[in-house]
Amino acid sequence: MTNKNDITIWGRRCSFNVQKVLWTLDELGLSYRHIDAGGAFGGLDEPAFRAMNPHGLVPVLKDGEHIVWESNTILRYLAARYGVGTLWDENPARRSLADRWIDWSASGLQPSFLRLFWGYYRTPAEQRVEALLDTHRKECSKHFRALDAQLEQQPYLAGESFTLADIAAGTCLHRYFNMGLEVERPAHVLAWWARLQQREAFRKNVALPFDALFSRLAY
Ligand SMILES: N[C@@H](CCC(=O)N[C@@H](CS)C(=O)NCC(=O)O)C(=O)O
């Protein structure tokens, strides 16, 4: 059983990468202390913070004496340590079914989504570059079709049950479909999103208002 003071997570709640970690902590039923950092909260250039993460970015997790940064690394750390048999599969072949979608999210889905979200939602209308938005939207459509093809065969990305892959890829759904931009809405992705919305940890940490970010280029 984790002591209440053992786990601390740094990062503002409106950060996409922080949301993934908070969602995972709550899925695992862990107690933790949350410290707002980054954006208007600042603190990322403090020597004490840089000593934890030399890149000066959130999220950062401290678990006892262990410090972990990079959101997907934190997800894997938490699952391996606290989620054996639930979010962590000790069989490497089965675990790779989720890992490939986590790594694809980091290298494909998430960068494309963030380019669209920043280019459209966070950029003031008069500064938006329509041609670039069109490119980003097409990239996202390609990724969402890949998700849809996978989810046509099974309810979750790695199979019959919920895994870290659903967290890594699913965190963008709330903003993607609610940012007010005309985007394709593939049926199996929408059904998956509905399944994720039934999870309390998703509703608490991800399905949050984000209008304060509209037309705001500053973190
Ligand atoms: N690849 C890193 C990206 C970390 C990152 O870019 N964090 C952003 C927030 S999403 C940040 O710290 N920005 C500076 C700030 O919030 O002030 C991860 O997944 O953890």
Side-chain angles (χ1 to χ4, degrees):
M1 184 66 186
T2 308
N3 178 289
K4 194 174 173 28
N5 298 316
D6 277 348
I7 297 181
T8 304
I9 161 87
W10 282 263
R12 55 193 167 82
R13 284 187 185 278
C14 60
S15 148
F16 179 87
N17 290 308
V18 172
Q19 290 184 354
K20 285 192 273 183
V21 174
L22 292 170
W23 182 4
T24 305
L25 284 162
D26 285 330
E27 285 287 346
L28 292 167
L30 295 167
S31 306
Y32 56 90
R33 190 161 70 109
H34 172 245
I35 299 181
D36 276 315
F41 300 101
L44 307 191
D45 290 325
E46 298 292 326
F49 190 85
R50 290 277 169 160
M52 293 195 297
N53 182 353
H55 304 297
L57 295 171
V58 289
V60 170
L61 181 108
K62 187 164 181 289
D63 180 13
E65 74 273 25
H66 304 296
I67 290 165
V68 193
W69 45 267
E70 271 299 322
S71 57
N72 291 343
T73 301
I74 299 173
L75 264 50
R76 290 184 169 105
Y77 169 85
L78 288 170
R81 179 132 199 214
Y82 300 107
V84 173
T86 56
L87 285 182
W88 189 254
D89 194 322
E90 290 195 297
N91 178 306
R94 277 201 307 264
R95 201 169 63 241
S96 81
L97 299 174
D99 271 337
R100 66 194 66 178
W101 287 99
I102 298 171
D103 291 340
W104 170 81
S105 295
S107 60
L109 176 67
Q110 185 171 329
S112 297
F113 160 69
L114 288 176
R115 279 195 285 269
L116 185 62
F117 187 71
W118 277 83
Y120 171 70
Y121 196 82
R122 300 205 59 159
T123 301
E126 65 281 6
Q127 292 177 41
R128 289 180 195 146
V129 182
E130 288 302 327
L132 275 181
L133 284 185
D134 198 46
T135 304
H136 302 332
R137 200 191 328 219
K138 283 184 182 133
E139 272 176 29
C140 285
S141 292
K142 183 185 76 178
H143 295 321
F144 273 77
R145 282 187 215 135
L147 285 171
D148 199 58
Q150 180 72 355
L151 293 161
E152 183 175 5
Q153 302 165 50
Q154 53 199 32
Y156 296 100
L157 282 177
E160 291 302 312
S161 46
F162 177 83
T163 68
L164 292 182
D166 301 294
I167 296 178
T171 302
C172 72
L173 299 173
H174 176 69
R175 292 186 182 180
Y176 186 70
F177 290 124
N178 288 319
M179 69 177 148
L181 192 63
E182 195 73 36
V183 290
E184 285 175 28
R185 295 177 165 254
H188 303 289
V189 172
L190 292 184
W192 173 56
W193 183 30
R195 279 191 283 282
L196 299 182
Q197 287 176 71
Q198 286 165 16
R199 308 186 79 87
E200 195 186 339
F202 176 90
R203 293 197 302 274
K204 176 182 162 197
N205 298 299
V206 181
L208 302 172
F210 56 92
D211 43 300
L213 302 177
F214 186 69
S215 201
R216 197 181 101 199
L217 284 168
Y219 272 122

